[in-house]
Every structure is written in structure tokens, then in C-alpha cells.
Amino acid sequence: MPSRRPLVAGNWKMHGLKASVAQFEGILRGCTRVRGDVDLMVCPPATLIAAFAAAAEGSRVAIGGQDCHAEPSGAHTGDISAEMLADAGARAVIVGHSERRTYHRETDADVRGKALAARRAGLVAIVCIGETQAERAAGQTLAVVERQLAGSVPDRAQPDHLVIAYEPVWAIGTGLTPTATDIEEVHGMIRERLATRFGRPSEDMRVLYGGSVKSDNARELLAVGGVDGALVGGASLKAEEFLAIATAYA
Ligand code: PEP
């Protein structure tokens, strides 16, 4: 039997100052309301990882980074390695977010290198994949997502260090979401490809949905077949909104 605990992860993007620890503490206080088998994670900017990790110590909320360099150390001014994230208290890292792919021109090969770095550092890699509006309009959704999945996920992946996040680019931060049928189709394809490539362990790999998940659509989106949780952007910045999404698992 597959054992896929739901995961609700918040991506704070480039939001948050030291004062935001108070907002995060609201999540820590309220997380007892979330069903016991739901995993919770918050990915703040790198500057806040240590403070959030200290605040979250002993709680059920894990801390993640939003990106990492593929190398463990070196002459890469401004970059942060997976080892540094782990050292600061992170347990996971988002790699290949569409904003990184778009604004930093990250390729599938770059993302795979980062996912390997995460594994090397003992972090879970949350690998993001998803089509643009133009690709969807051209009927290329499945082909694009399949290609990104194949190129971004390293060989010998195991469920304890890999999570996939299907995030249609056009749904991120727009208030738009695909239909349940569309999400189910993409998640079904992802699961099939994971099974072909990784066999039995793939049954325990979680595939999240991301893109405009909010408290008022969470119940519907999280109930879609094959959706093992959510990667939440804007709505994760407010403790009550994030908790309302997580408590959609009634
Ligand atoms: C994201 O950035 O991963 C995301 C899903 O953003 P939002 O929830 O704001 O659409």
C-alpha cells in the first residue's frame, strides 16, 4: 500500500523581514488544528531560514529553502548551497520553480543538478514543473510536463528525498486554476512516468498541485485524484489563510 502523507508547503518567495517571524509563529500556534497526518512546511527567504527553524524546533512544521546552487561551496557570489540551507535548519528545498526557470533561465539540467545537490545535503527536493499558457493553448501540456519531469528529476530518486509539484505557470499568482479534470490528467501522467522510471518506490512519491491555491478552493483542489497536497505561494503569507488551506484536509 502506498503511504503518501499529504503535504501543504508554503512558498514565501521574496517576502518577509525579521518581523515576519510573528506571522510564522501564528502558523506554529495554529497547526494543532491541522489533521495529524498532514505534513506542513514553510519556505521563507534564505535570510529567515535560521530564525524560522529555531522558532519551529520541536513543532510539526518543517522549513525549506526556495532554491540552491548545485555545488556544495565555491566562488559563486550570492548563491546558497544545499548544505548551507541544511546547516541553517532547512529540511527541504524548492528547485525549478517557474520564476527561477523564467527569470534565471534555469534549464531542466540545472534543476536536476540542484535536486542532486539537495539529496547530497540530506534535503528533500521539491521539483516544480508546469506548462505556460501558450503551451496549454497549443495542446502541449502533457508533452511539456513530461519533458520537464524526465529532465529535472535525477536517477535513483526515492520518495524520502523527492516531491514533485505540478504548477501550471499561468495559474501562479493569477487566481486562475485548471479544472479538476485537467489536474487529474496531468497528475495521472506524472504518476505513470514515475512508476515506469522508479518502480514500486514511486508509489510513495508525493505529487503536489500549485497555482492559486487559497482557502476558498483548497477543499476542491486537494480532493482531486492524484493530488497529494499543495505548494502555496501568496496565500501562505498569512497564518490564518495558510492554516485554512491545510485544514481543508478535514
Ligand atoms: C507558487 O509560487 O509556487 C505558487 C503556487 O504561487 P500562488 O499560490 O501565489 O499562485
Side-chain angles (χ1 to χ4, degrees):
M1 276 287 287
S3 63
R4 299 201 297 271
R5 290 168 61 95
L7 168 63
V8 178
N11 170 15
W12 278 33
K13 310 194 187 196
M14 199 172 71
H15 296 287
L17 300 171
K18 272 189 286 185
S20 313
V21 176
Q23 195 60 237
F24 177 60
E25 283 168 349
I27 294 178
L28 294 175
R29 276 193 304 277
C31 67
T32 50
R33 309 201 304 259
V34 180
R35 211 175 71 189
D37 67 339
V38 177
D39 288 338
L40 299 171
M41 183 184 295
V42 173
C43 304
T47 48
L48 292 176
I49 287 176
F52 277 34
E57 206 173 324
S59 82
R60 60 186 285 192
V61 182
I63 305 303
Q66 299 176 10
D67 178 47
C68 66
H69 195 279
E71 300 295 327
S73 61
H76 300 288
T77 303
D79 281 321
I80 296 177
S81 71
E83 282 77 1
M84 290 169 177
L85 294 175
D87 190 46
R91 304 241 306 272
V93 60
I94 299 168
V95 293
H97 190 280
S98 68
E99 288 151 15
R100 301 288 316 175
R101 290 179 186 264
T102 304
Y103 306 132
H104 298 265
R105 306 213 192 299
E106 290 184 6
T107 64
D108 290 334
D110 294 330
V111 177
R112 190 173 62 244
K114 290 171 185 232
L116 278 168
R119 187 194 303 179
R120 184 188 65 220
L123 299 178
V124 177
I126 302 177
V127 176
C128 299
I129 51 180
E131 82 285 1
T132 64
Q133 179 64 70
E135 289 162 342
R136 174 162 285 268
Q140 296 169 346
T141 299
L142 292 179
V144 167
V145 173
E146 186 176 6
R147 191 184 66 229
Q148 290 181 338
L149 183 71
S152 306
V153 174
D155 290 337
R156 291 181 293 283
Q158 293 289 330
D160 55 355
H161 56 70
L162 177 74
V163 171
I164 304 293
Y166 168 55
E167 298 207 301
V169 178
W170 53 272
I172 294 177
T174 60
L176 303 172
T177 53
T179 64
T181 311
D182 289 340
I183 296 173
E184 198 164 351
E185 183 182 32
V186 177
H187 277 241
M189 181 277 290
I190 292 171
R191 193 147 289 294
E192 268 176 38
R193 296 299 174 270
L194 291 174
T196 305
R197 191 161 165 204
F198 302 114
R200 164 67 189 87
S202 74
E203 291 176 27
D204 296 330
M205 289 174 183
R206 292 178 286 191
V207 183
L208 312 182
Y209 167 76
S212 295
V213 179
K214 309 210 180 311
S215 56
D216 57 8
N217 62 15
R219 195 173 298 271
E220 190 189 334
L221 291 167
L222 293 174
V224 173
V227 171
D228 302 313
L231 182 55
V232 184
S236 69
L237 289 165
K238 293 262 181 304
E240 277 312 311
E241 180 71 6
F242 181 69
L243 290 167
I245 292 168
T247 51
Y249 283 109

